[in-house]
Amino acid sequence: MSIRRTTKAARGAVATASALGLALLVAGCGGGGDDGAQTPDGRKPAAHSATPDDGSAGSPAADADKVIGEMKGPDGIEVTLHSAVRDSGGFVTVEGTVTNRGTRAFNAIDWRSNETELKSRSSISGATLVDKTGKKRYLVLRDTNGECLCTTGLSGLLPGQSRPVFAQFPAPPAKVTEVDFQLPTMPPATVRITD
């Protein structure tokens, strides 16, 4: 009888330890999701969440009332830019909202970069900042896994829907306060960088 109780107690202890270990494993995997992303100077960029990959519509960016630039492209696609902020970490984050004013679903497949090692699909990884005065083009930053530090999963945007977008770039020199934000298939928009 005592052996049976000891065996039951041992099984209960093993089950409890297994559940605790599983809980710790799941909590440890949650993390911040930056995948070791770093800017070229070794610092970690500001945390931003990408648009979900599940095709659900996101809400417009938090500062959607502020407009610093607009881009209107083919098939009724509009991009409204809300901010271009220089961070002390050495990068610029551009935030905006993409709106489908057309009649069919939009996929950002043409907005991605042509780089062969890039993993992001349906993203704005092909965005650039252009310093016309300094004659320099700045590409979207990448993390150590080759993912862009930008909105990904930008597909299935139905007519009438909007989603927030963002992209992070290396910062131009401090004296540069005005750049062109460019997306493939869209006309450029001149924006002012704020600190």
Side-chain angles (χ1 to χ4, degrees), residues 97-152:
T97 304
V98 60
T99 303
N100 184 351
R101 300 204 189 283
T103 57
R104 57 184 176 172
F106 171 73
N107 296 312
I109 200 83
D110 291 332
W111 289 358
R112 66 182 175 168
S113 172
N114 290 330
E115 298 172 60
T116 56
E117 69 276 0
L118 187 67
K119 297 179 181 178
S120 302
R121 301 278 185 250
S122 296
S123 69
I124 64 169
S125 59
T128 58
L129 287 184
V130 177
D131 169 12
K132 291 188 285 190
T133 306
K135 298 184 186 207
K136 289 194 175 184
R137 178 179 299 254
Y138 298 89
L139 304 177
V140 175
L141 292 170
R142 309 300 197 249
D143 67 15
T144 55
N145 293 324
E147 296 290 344
C148 71
L149 297 181
C150 67
T151 300
T152 60

Side-chain angles (χ1 to χ4, degrees), residues 2-146:
S2 65
I3 293 176
R4 183 182 289 175
R5 286 187 183 159
T6 305
T7 304
K8 280 187 175 180
R11 275 191 250 147
V14 168
T16 302
S18 296
L20 181 59
L22 182 59
L24 289 173
L25 178 65
V26 169
C29 291
D34 68 2
D35 296 325
Q38 292 184 348
T39 59
D41 63 358
R43 298 183 188 148
K44 289 198 174 222
H48 285 278
S49 61
T51 305
D53 285 334
D54 62 4
S56 63
S59 59
D63 54 355
D65 292 335
K66 184 177 178 185
V67 177
I68 64 168
E70 291 182 308
M71 306 161 74
K72 294 183 179 184
D75 299 322
I77 301 303
E78 295 180 8
V79 176
T80 305
L81 301 173
H82 305 298
S83 64
V85 179
R86 184 189 309 270
D87 192 294
S88 60
F91 55 91
V92 169
T93 302
V94 176
E95 294 182 314
T97 304
V98 60
T99 303
N100 184 351
R101 300 204 189 283
T103 57
R104 57 184 176 172
F106 171 73
N107 296 312
I109 200 83
D110 291 332
W111 289 358
R112 66 182 175 168
S113 172
N114 290 330
E115 298 172 60
T116 56
E117 69 276 0
L118 187 67
K119 297 179 181 178
S120 302
R121 301 278 185 250
S122 296
S123 69
I124 64 169
S125 59
T128 58
L129 287 184
V130 177
D131 169 12
K132 291 188 285 190
T133 306
K135 298 184 186 207
K136 289 194 175 184
R137 178 179 299 254
Y138 298 89
L139 304 177
V140 175
L141 292 170
R142 309 300 197 249
D143 67 15
T144 55
N145 293 324

Side-chain angles (χ1 to χ4, degrees), residues 177-188:
T177 58
E178 199 172 83
V179 292
D180 279 356
F181 178 79
Q182 296 180 337
L183 272 171
T185 76
M186 303 286 278

